[in-house]
Amino acid sequence: MEFTLPNNAELPPVSAERLAEFGKSHALTPRVMLALDHALNEHLQNVVDHSMAKKASLRLQVVGREVHVLIVDDGRDFDPLGAAEPDLVGD
């Protein structure tokens, strides 16, 4: 499954129908589908919230017993070494 997503926080990042169709066509278990749905939505929401991307593409592929996911966007890069230290103390 491969498609391009608009960067629009108002739209759900992954169509539930398309994801269900992908899972059914590859006989993925409900447990795998739930994990895949959560992971995809989290990653794609990060694209929307943080990368300033204008578009993103998602590719899913089943290889043996693995689901391979490729998400590519045209947004700014994330440098974990350049990120601010988290405030672990709190108020």
Side-chain angles (χ1 to χ4, degrees), residues 6-25:
N7 185 0
N8 181 343
E10 301 299 317
L11 299 173
V14 177
S15 160
E17 294 81 21
R18 289 191 72 182
L19 188 58
E21 180 182 304
F22 175 81
K24 191 174 189 176
S25 69

Side-chain angles (χ1 to χ4, degrees), residues 12-67:
V14 177
S15 160
E17 294 81 21
R18 289 191 72 182
L19 188 58
E21 180 182 304
F22 175 81
K24 191 174 189 176
S25 69
H26 293 285
L28 300 179
T29 66
R31 183 176 175 178
V32 169
M33 289 302 299
L34 182 62
L36 186 59
D37 179 60
H38 285 270
L40 290 176
N41 282 306
E42 180 65 25
H43 285 288
L44 293 170
Q45 192 62 50
N46 285 342
V47 168
V48 170
D49 291 345
H50 305 293
S51 78
M52 308 299 226
K54 302 240 186 297
K55 64 180 179 177
S57 65
L58 165 67
R59 181 175 180 185
L60 298 176
Q61 182 179 19
V62 174
V63 179
R65 294 177 41 95
E66 300 175 347
V67 178

Side-chain angles (χ1 to χ4, degrees), residues 80-89:
L81 299 177
E85 290 288 325
D87 178 12
L88 302 176
V89 177

